[in-house]
C-alpha cells in the first residue's frame, strides 16, 4: 500500500519545506519535489496545510488504579482520543504496587495494552518499592525497552520514596543507562499543610493548590538535582509547573548537568483561578503539582522557548466529575488527582505558535522530536524523513474549532477547556502508514498499535 501526501508544507524540528511525502507500507519512502511523484494507492491533498511528524505524548496514565477506582480512559479509548488530536505514540506509566515485582508489573501493563491501542505505545516504570529485587529488576526492564523509572517525592504512604531510596535507584540508573524521572514536590511538608488547612475547615478544591506552594516544588526539584549530581544519574523532572522549579533546572543545565524537564498544557493555559471556581467545579482542575497563579505562565513559555523545558506532555489522568472527582466533596484531599488532556496537546501548543511564544519548528520539537530523542525512539519516530515510521499529521492551520465535552473523544464527562475557541485542527492522521483519522472520521482499530521497545536516552554521551 502506498500513500502520497501532496501539496503540503512539511515541518520538522529543523525547518519547513514544500514537498510531497511518499509513504510505502509502514514507513516514509521519500520526500519529493512537488508534483514529481508517480501514482499511489491513496492520495491526500495537503494544500495549504502542514505535514507534521505525529505527536508523542510521553506522560499518560491510562487505566491507572487510584484509591479503588481507575482513571477513566483505558488503552483503547485513551489512544483513540490521542489519535484524534494528532498524537501517534504514547508512553504510559506502569505502576509498581508495593510488594510486587517490577517484571510482574510490566506483564500487567502489557496485558492491559495488548490488542487495545490505536497507536504505538511504550512504558515507563513507576518504582514505588525500592528493595534488592527491585534494583536488580531495573536492569531487566532496561533490557526489555523500558528504561525510564519514575519516582515520587510526593504522596507519603503511597508512592513516596525517601532520599535514600532515590539515591539507590539513581546509582542503579547511573550504571545501567536508565533515566530517573521525578515527581518533585515535598510531600512530607505538603501533608502537614493539608492537615492544617482541613483543621481550619478549608475544604474547597482551591486549597489543593494553596497547600502545595511552588516553593515546595522548587525545593524538591533542587534536592532531586543534587541527588542526581551526587550519583551521576540523568534526571528528568516531570510536569514542571512553577518558576522556582524552573530556576533550579535552569541553574543545573547551565552547569552542564544532565537534567531535563517537561511541562504540560494545563500549566501554560490554566491557573489557580480555575481551581478556585465555585460550587466544587474547581475539582475538575485538581492535579499535582497544582495549577499555579497565572504569573508562572510567562516563565514556563520562556523556558520552553529556550529549551530549559524540553518537552510538552499531558500527564493525562482523567477522572469523571460525577462519581470520581465528587469523592472529594467536603475534603479536597480526597479529590482524585489528575486531568484529561491527551486529545488537546497538539492543538493547544499550536496556539502557542499563533501567540508568538514558539516558532513552528519548536512546536514540532517539543511535541514530537525531543520526546522521541529523550526516550530512545528517534529517528523511527519524531520526524518526517525517509525510513522513519509514517506517523504523520496533516494539520489545517486555518480551521477553527471549539473545545468541548460535546465533541471530544476522551472517556470523561467534562472538558478542562470547555468553550475555548482555537485556530488549527488535525485533518488527517497516519499511524505507521495507515490512515486512522480522515474527513472527520476515525478509521483506526484497537490493536493496530504496537509496543515500542525503546533505546536509551539519545541526549547522553
Ligand atoms: Zn503523572
Amino acid at each position: 500500500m502506498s500513500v502520497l501526501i501532496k501539496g503540503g508544507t512539511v515541518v520538522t524540528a529543523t525547518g519547513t519545506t514544500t514537498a510531497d511525502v511518499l509513504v510505502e507500507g509502514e514507513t516514509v519512502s521519500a520526500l519529493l519535489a512537488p508534483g514529481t511523484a508517480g501514482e499511489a494507492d491513496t492520495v491526500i491533498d495537503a494544500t495549504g496545510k502542514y505535514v507534521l511528524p505525529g505527536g508523542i505524548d510521553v506522560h499518560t496514565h491510562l487505566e491507572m488504579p487510584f484509591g479503588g477506582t481507575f482513571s477513566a480512559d483505558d488503552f483503547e479509548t485513551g489512544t483513540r482520543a490521542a489519535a484524534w488530536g494528532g498524537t501517534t505514540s504514547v508512553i504510559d506509566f506502569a505502576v509498581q504496587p508495593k510488594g510486587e515485582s517490577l517484571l510482574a508489573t510490566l506483564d500487567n501493563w502489557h496485558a492491559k495494552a495488548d490488542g487495545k491501542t490505536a497507536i504505538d505505545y511504550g512504558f515507563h516504570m513507576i518504582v514505588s518499592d525500592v528493595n534488592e529485587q527491585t534494583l536488580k529488576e531495573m536492569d531487566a526492564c532496561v533490557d526489555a525497552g523500558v528504561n525510564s523509572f519514575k519516582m515520587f517525592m510526593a504522596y507519603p504512604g503511597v508512592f513516596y520514596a525517601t532520599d535514600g531510596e532515590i539515591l539507590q535507584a539513581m546509582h542503579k540508573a547511573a550504571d545501567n543507562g536508565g533515566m530517573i524521572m521525578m515527581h518533585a514536590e515535598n510531600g512530607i511538608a505538603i501533608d502537614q499543610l493539608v492537615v492544617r488547612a482541613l483543621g481550619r475547615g478549608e475544604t474547597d478544591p482551591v486549597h489543593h493548590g494553596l497547600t502545595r506552594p511552588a516553593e515546595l516544588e522548587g525545593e524538591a526539584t533542587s534536592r532531586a538535582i543534587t541527588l542526581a549530581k551526587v550519583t551521576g544519574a540523568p534526571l528528568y523532572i516531570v510536569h514542571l509547573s512553577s518558576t522556582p522549579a524552573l530556576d533550579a533546572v535552569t541553574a543545573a543545565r547551565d552547569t552542564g548537568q544532565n537534567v531535563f524537564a517537561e511541562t504540560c498544557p494545563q500549566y501554560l493555559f490554566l491557573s489557580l483561578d480555575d481551581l478556585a471556581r465555585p460550587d466544587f467545579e474547581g475539582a475538575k482542575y485538581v492535579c499535582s503539582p497544582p495549577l499555579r497563579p497565572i504569573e508562572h505562565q510567562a516563565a514556563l513559555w520562556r523556558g520552553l522557548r529556550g529549551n530549559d523545558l524540553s518537552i510538552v506532555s499531558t500527564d493525562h489522568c482523567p477522572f469523571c466529575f460525577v462519581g470520581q472527582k465528587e469523592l472529594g466533596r467536603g475534603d479536597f484531599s480526597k479529590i482524585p488527582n489528575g486531568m484529561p488532556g491527551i486529545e488537546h496537546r497538539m492543538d493547544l501548543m499550536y496556539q502557542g505558535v499563533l501567540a508568538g511564544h514558539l516558532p513552528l519548528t519548536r512546536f514540532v520539537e517539543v511535541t514530537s522530536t525531543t520526546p522521541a530523542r529523550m526516550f530512545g525512539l528517534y529517528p523511527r519516530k519524531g520526524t518526517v524523513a525517509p525510513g522513519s515510521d509514517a506517523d504523520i499529521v496533516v494539520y489545517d492551520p486555518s480551521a477553527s474549532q471549539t473545545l468541548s465535552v460535546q465533541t471530544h473523544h476522551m472517556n470523561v464527562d467534562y472538558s478542562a477547556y470547555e468553550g475555548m475557541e482555537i485556530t488549527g485542527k488535525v485533518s488527517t492522521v497516519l499511524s505507521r502508514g495507515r490512515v486512522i483519522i480522515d474527513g472527520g472520521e476515525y478509521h483506526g482499530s484497537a490493536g493496530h498499535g504496537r509496543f515500542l521497545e525503546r533505546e536509551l536516552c539519545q541526549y547522553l554521551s
Side-chain angles (χ1 to χ4, degrees), residues 59 61 93 150 239 315:
H59 191 149
H61 297 283
F93 287 91
K150 184 179 178 188
H239 48 46
D315 194 14

PDB file of all heavy atoms in Angstrom, residues 59 61 93 150 239 315, ligand 1:
ATOM      1  N   HIS A  59       3.816  11.180  28.699  1.00  0.00           N
ATOM      2  CA  HIS A  59       3.346  11.148  30.092  1.00  0.00           C
ATOM      3  C   HIS A  59       1.834  10.933  30.110  1.00  0.00           C
ATOM      4  O   HIS A  59       1.054  11.887  30.073  1.00  0.00           O
ATOM      5  CB  HIS A  59       3.730  12.454  30.794  1.00  0.00           C
ATOM      6  CG  HIS A  59       3.537  12.413  32.282  1.00  0.00           C
ATOM      7  ND1 HIS A  59       4.341  13.138  33.145  1.00  0.00           N
ATOM      8  CD2 HIS A  59       2.653  11.756  33.074  1.00  0.00           C
ATOM      9  CE1 HIS A  59       3.952  12.913  34.390  1.00  0.00           C
ATOM     10  NE2 HIS A  59       2.916  12.090  34.375  1.00  0.00           N
ATOM     11  N   HIS A  61      -1.451   8.359  31.886  1.00  0.00           N
ATOM     12  CA  HIS A  61      -1.870   7.378  32.909  1.00  0.00           C
ATOM     13  C   HIS A  61      -3.200   6.783  32.466  1.00  0.00           C
ATOM     14  O   HIS A  61      -4.261   7.249  32.860  1.00  0.00           O
ATOM     15  CB  HIS A  61      -2.041   8.053  34.266  1.00  0.00           C
ATOM     16  CG  HIS A  61      -0.786   8.648  34.815  1.00  0.00           C
ATOM     17  ND1 HIS A  61       0.212   7.903  35.390  1.00  0.00           N
ATOM     18  CD2 HIS A  61      -0.360   9.940  34.875  1.00  0.00           C
ATOM     19  CE1 HIS A  61       1.204   8.690  35.796  1.00  0.00           C
ATOM     20  NE2 HIS A  61       0.877   9.934  35.484  1.00  0.00           N
ATOM     21  N   PHE A  93       2.683   5.047  32.054  1.00  0.00           N
ATOM     22  CA  PHE A  93       3.396   4.641  33.265  1.00  0.00           C
ATOM     23  C   PHE A  93       2.834   3.347  33.841  1.00  0.00           C
ATOM     24  O   PHE A  93       1.691   3.310  34.283  1.00  0.00           O
ATOM     25  CB  PHE A  93       3.292   5.729  34.332  1.00  0.00           C
ATOM     26  CG  PHE A  93       4.146   6.931  34.023  1.00  0.00           C
ATOM     27  CD1 PHE A  93       3.634   7.996  33.312  1.00  0.00           C
ATOM     28  CD2 PHE A  93       5.473   6.981  34.439  1.00  0.00           C
ATOM     29  CE1 PHE A  93       4.422   9.103  33.011  1.00  0.00           C
ATOM     30  CE2 PHE A  93       6.269   8.081  34.144  1.00  0.00           C
ATOM     31  CZ  PHE A  93       5.741   9.143  33.426  1.00  0.00           C
ATOM     32  N   LYS A 150      10.168   6.237  37.117  1.00  0.00           N
ATOM     33  CA  LYS A 150       9.625   7.422  37.785  1.00  0.00           C
ATOM     34  C   LYS A 150       9.544   7.185  39.283  1.00  0.00           C
ATOM     35  O   LYS A 150       9.115   6.121  39.742  1.00  0.00           O
ATOM     36  CB  LYS A 150       8.236   7.736  37.240  1.00  0.00           C
ATOM     37  CG  LYS A 150       7.600   9.014  37.809  1.00  0.00           C
ATOM     38  CD  LYS A 150       6.230   9.206  37.165  1.00  0.00           C
ATOM     39  CE  LYS A 150       5.492  10.417  37.686  1.00  0.00           C
ATOM     40  NZ  LYS A 150       4.107  10.435  37.164  1.00  0.00           N
ATOM     41  N   HIS A 239       6.246  17.034  34.652  1.00  0.00           N
ATOM     42  CA  HIS A 239       5.225  18.080  34.853  1.00  0.00           C
ATOM     43  C   HIS A 239       5.687  19.262  35.700  1.00  0.00           C
ATOM     44  O   HIS A 239       5.072  19.600  36.712  1.00  0.00           O
ATOM     45  CB  HIS A 239       3.914  17.500  35.386  1.00  0.00           C
ATOM     46  CG  HIS A 239       4.017  16.551  36.542  1.00  0.00           C
ATOM     47  ND1 HIS A 239       4.786  16.783  37.646  1.00  0.00           N
ATOM     48  CD2 HIS A 239       3.425  15.351  36.753  1.00  0.00           C
ATOM     49  CE1 HIS A 239       4.652  15.777  38.486  1.00  0.00           C
ATOM     50  NE2 HIS A 239       3.853  14.886  37.971  1.00  0.00           N
ATOM     51  N   ASP A 315       0.403  14.488  31.018  1.00  0.00           N
ATOM     52  CA  ASP A 315       0.031  13.925  32.321  1.00  0.00           C
ATOM     53  C   ASP A 315      -1.461  13.574  32.317  1.00  0.00           C
ATOM     54  O   ASP A 315      -2.155  13.729  33.321  1.00  0.00           O
ATOM     55  CB  ASP A 315       0.375  14.900  33.463  1.00  0.00           C
ATOM     56  CG  ASP A 315       0.327  14.227  34.835  1.00  0.00           C
ATOM     57  OD1 ASP A 315       0.288  12.980  34.907  1.00  0.00           O
ATOM     58  OD2 ASP A 315       0.315  14.959  35.844  1.00  0.00           O
TER      59      ASP A 315
HETATM   60 ZN1  LIG B   1       1.789  11.685  36.001  1.00  0.00          ZN
END
